[in-house]
């Protein structure tokens, strides 16, 4: 009995132990499964949360890209912000998406980055992007940025495309210079006194023709006032990091290319729009960005000279224009934003017209002139108590006739209209004048009681204070010896086409069958001349202080023409007008280029 009882007890203990082990194993298994399920759920949640975060971030970046597009004209409208939409991402909904201005705009100095030292009209913006997926995973990010509109006229020189300089004597760049294309310096004695920037290349050579680099001298002024010669360029130092190091060590980083992170400054027009549209007339099909960028839409005095509507002088000028022939184009004046309009007599005093006023040897054409008489404009403005700030002149070309011939002076048979500013030594106030046609500046301009001023034209020609139309009425037989210049001063920012524009071939990679053209696209070619400037002792002085901006090759003027008979060069004093460094001194209608700067980025946690 005893042994049997003991056996039963041992079996009972084994059963209990087995049950306990089974329970413990079950607990371990349940715990492991539970933990695995928890890890799986956590991993899946993290996966969905990460995807939601990246979707929200993508939404914010998508919004910022649209802000950059809206800022191309330098102006950020509320309607443009309202039109910004989130991206389409499969599996995600943007439950909250907004782009809004924070505070009002302000004019601030740019303290860092590639354009440090300039100022920008700055608007703070906040982008909020909140994304949710089908599982309910949610993420929200907030991106802060600054929409900066950089006024172009704070540059001494600003250009689209390549810029090249060929000079055989000393030349100086005193203000900030930026070119969106490559810079070619084939100069003998060029001095850069501030900062020069390009997202492209800096090359010590010509674009059209080679020049031995031993004959090229370019100097950069350092912060202590000393100057150092630039002995390297993007060709002999092609590695970006090496170029950056040399620029920073030798030149204090004052020569900046794409190797130092320089980017293009966008033109004040949408992508794909010809820059020449800046000076084109109003067109019904212009979109909002084009309207914001084009000078014609900003003008508070819009003048139309209709060459297709030739009328009797009494119908056009009310008999008050006795020096003109008895047929004139119809001239109308509109004030789009309100204001007094000149009557016929004042209109024809301010905007006189003359068929075949003189022969232009550069164009090799007879020139039909639409004058803007600034003296008459000022007198009229004083009489009505209000002066226009932006004048745009639209010239409607004649139909059924050709442009002026180089040999015939045929009146109605040919035409070549231009806009000319005359008697402009004293302006009525801040004033910008422009047209899509060639622009001529006759005599002193804005040198008496300086005002913020600018001129826009297809190409610009400077005529001295002594210019007389009759001295250039001999056609092809009249060379510069009949056109004596005298000292002349002109103060204005300039948007124009360069003499050569984009013609010619880069000699390192010539186009098939290309015939290289004479050098151009440099500051010395920004303003054309037609006179003999060497009649003064030591040459007559041609002073121009302002800002040179070019976006195009001339569309209407001949990109390059002329010969030894065209002119003899003046003693040039062409320089940046440092008054434009004060935003209060910017001319009316100053174009801006957009630039978006990220300020901060954060994720919202719940």
């Amino acid at each position: 009995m005893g042994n049997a009882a003991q056996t039963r007890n041992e079996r009972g203990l084994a059963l209990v132990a087995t049950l306990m082990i089974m329970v413990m194993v079950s607990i371990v298994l349940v715990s492991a499964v539970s933990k695995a399920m928890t890890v799986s759920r956590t991993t899946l949640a993290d996966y969905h949360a990460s995807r939601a975060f990246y979707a929200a971030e993508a939404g914010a970046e998508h919004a910022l890209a649209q802000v950059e597009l809206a800022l191309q004209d330098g102006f950020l409208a509320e309607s443009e912000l309202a039109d910004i939409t989130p991206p389409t991402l499969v599996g995600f909904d943007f439950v909250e998406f907004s782009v809004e201005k924070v505070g009002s705009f302000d004019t601030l100095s740019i303290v860092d980055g590639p354009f440090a030292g300039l100022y920008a009209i700055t608007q703070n913006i906040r982008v909020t992007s909140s994304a949710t997926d089908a599982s309910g995973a949610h993420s929200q990010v907030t991106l802060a940025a600054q929409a900066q509109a950089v006024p172009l006229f704070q540059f001494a020189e600003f250009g689209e495309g390549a810029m090249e300089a060929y000079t055989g004597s000393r030349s100086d760049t005193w203000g900030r210079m930026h070119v969106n294309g490559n810079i070619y310096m084939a100069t003998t004695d060029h001095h850069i006194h501030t900062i020069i920037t390009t997202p492209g290349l800096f090359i010590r050579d010509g674009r059209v023709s080679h020049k031995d680099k031993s004959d090229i001298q370019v100097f950069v002024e350092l912060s202590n006032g000393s100057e150092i010669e630039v002995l390297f360029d993007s060709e002999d130092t092609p590695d970006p990091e090496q170029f950056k190091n040399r620029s920073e060590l030798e030149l204090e980083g004052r020569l900046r290319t794409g190797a130092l992170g320089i980017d293009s400054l966008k033109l004040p027009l949408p992508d794909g729009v010809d820059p020449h549209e800046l000076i084109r007339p109003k067109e019904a099909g212009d979109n909002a960005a084009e309207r914001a960028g084009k000078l014609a839409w900003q003008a508070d005095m819009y003048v139309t000279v209709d060459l297709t509507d030739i009328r009797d002088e009494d119908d056009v000028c009310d008999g008050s224009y006795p020096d003109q022939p008895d047929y004139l184009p119809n001239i109308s004046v509109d004030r789009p934003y309100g204001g007094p309009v000149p009557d016929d007599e004042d209109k024809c005093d301010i905007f006189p017209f003359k068929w075949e006023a003189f022969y232009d040897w550069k164009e090799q054409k007879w020139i039909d002139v639409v004058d803007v008489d600034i003296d008459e404009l000022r007198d009229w403005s004083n009489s009505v108590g209000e002066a226009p700030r932006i004048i745009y002149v639209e010239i409607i070309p004649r139909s059924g006739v050709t442009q002026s011939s180089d040999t015939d002076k045929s009146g109605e048979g040919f035409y070549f209209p231009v806009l000319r500013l005359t008697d402009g030594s004293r302006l009525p106030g801040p004033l910008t004048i422009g047209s899509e046609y060639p622009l001529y500046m006759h005599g002193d301009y804005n040198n008496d009681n300086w005002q913020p001023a600018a001129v826009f034209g297809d190409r610009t020609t400077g005529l001295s204070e002594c210019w007389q139309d009759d001295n250039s009425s001999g056609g092809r037989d009249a060379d510069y010896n009949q056109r004596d210049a005298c000292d002349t001063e002109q103060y204005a920012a300039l948007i124009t086409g360069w003499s050569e524009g984009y013609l010619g071939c880069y000699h390192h990679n010539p186009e098939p069958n290309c015939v290289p053209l004479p050098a151009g696209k440099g500051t010395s070619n920004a303003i054309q001349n037609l006179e003999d400037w060497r009649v003064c002792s030591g040459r007559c002085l041609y002073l121009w202080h302002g800002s040179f901006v070019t976006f195009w090759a001339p569309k209407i003027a001949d990109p390059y023409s002329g010969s030894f008979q065209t002119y003899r060069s003046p003693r040039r004093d062409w320089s940046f007008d440092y008054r434009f460094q004060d935003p209060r001194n910017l001319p009316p209608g100053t174009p801006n280029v957009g630039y978006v700067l990220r300020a901060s980025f954060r994720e919202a946690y719940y």
Side-chain angles (χ1 to χ4, degrees), residues 17 50 68 260 275 298 437 479:
S50 296
E68 290 178 339
L260 282 83
Q298 302 174 53
Y437 278 79
D479 62 23

Side-chain angles (χ1 to χ4, degrees), residues 213-414:
K213 290 192 177 184
S214 63
D215 296 329
I216 296 174
Q217 290 182 307
V218 179
F219 300 89
V220 169
E221 181 178 334
L222 304 182
S223 57
N224 62 5
S226 64
E227 292 189 343
I228 186 167
E229 185 175 358
V230 182
L231 297 175
F232 65 96
D233 64 11
S234 301
E235 287 188 326
D236 56 38
T237 311
D239 180 77
E241 194 63 29
Q242 291 181 4
F243 188 99
K244 176 183 177 181
N245 290 338
R246 292 200 66 175
S247 176
E248 291 177 342
L249 291 174
E250 299 177 24
L251 307 174
E252 297 180 346
R254 298 169 81 83
L255 171 59
R256 303 178 184 178
T257 68
L260 282 83
I262 298 298
D263 197 0
S264 294
L265 283 174
K266 294 185 176 70
L267 306 185
L269 285 171
D271 283 339
V273 175
D274 189 332
H276 205 259
E277 285 294 315
L278 281 173
I279 58 171
R280 289 270 300 145
K282 295 179 180 179
E283 295 174 294
D286 291 337
N287 59 36
E290 290 172 314
R291 292 183 180 220
K294 291 172 68 167
L295 183 71
W297 285 104
Q298 302 174 53
D300 59 350
M301 177 175 279
Y302 198 95
V303 181
T304 304
V305 181
D306 189 350
L307 297 176
T308 67
D309 185 14
I310 306 303
R311 303 169 64 183
D312 182 87
E313 124 177 62
D314 290 341
D315 295 332
V316 177
C317 293
D318 196 23
S320 61
Y321 208 13
D323 294 334
Q324 288 300 304
D326 57 4
Y327 57 91
L328 288 173
N330 189 35
I331 302 174
S332 60
V333 180
D334 182 38
R335 304 299 301 277
Y337 305 107
V341 177
D343 60 24
D344 282 348
E345 182 175 353
D346 288 326
K347 175 182 65 179
C348 290
D349 286 338
I350 299 170
F351 305 106
F353 183 91
K354 187 176 181 180
W355 296 107
E356 297 153 346
F358 60 90
Y359 188 85
D360 185 329
W361 248 104
K362 283 278 189 182
E363 293 293 337
Q364 300 189 24
K365 294 180 176 70
W366 292 98
I367 304 299
D368 306 314
V369 174
V370 182
D371 274 325
V372 180
D373 190 312
I374 303 298
D375 271 350
E376 295 287 349
L377 175 67
R378 189 183 68 252
D379 290 345
W380 173 80
S381 298
N382 290 338
S383 70
V384 298
E386 187 263 356
R389 293 173 56 84
I390 301 177
I391 299 175
Y392 184 84
V393 179
E394 177 182 359
I395 301 176
I396 300 176
R398 303 183 71 181
S399 57
V401 293
T402 59
Q403 288 192 355
S404 174
S405 166
D406 65 351
T407 58
D408 295 328
K409 186 178 180 182
S410 314
E412 293 201 56
F414 299 91

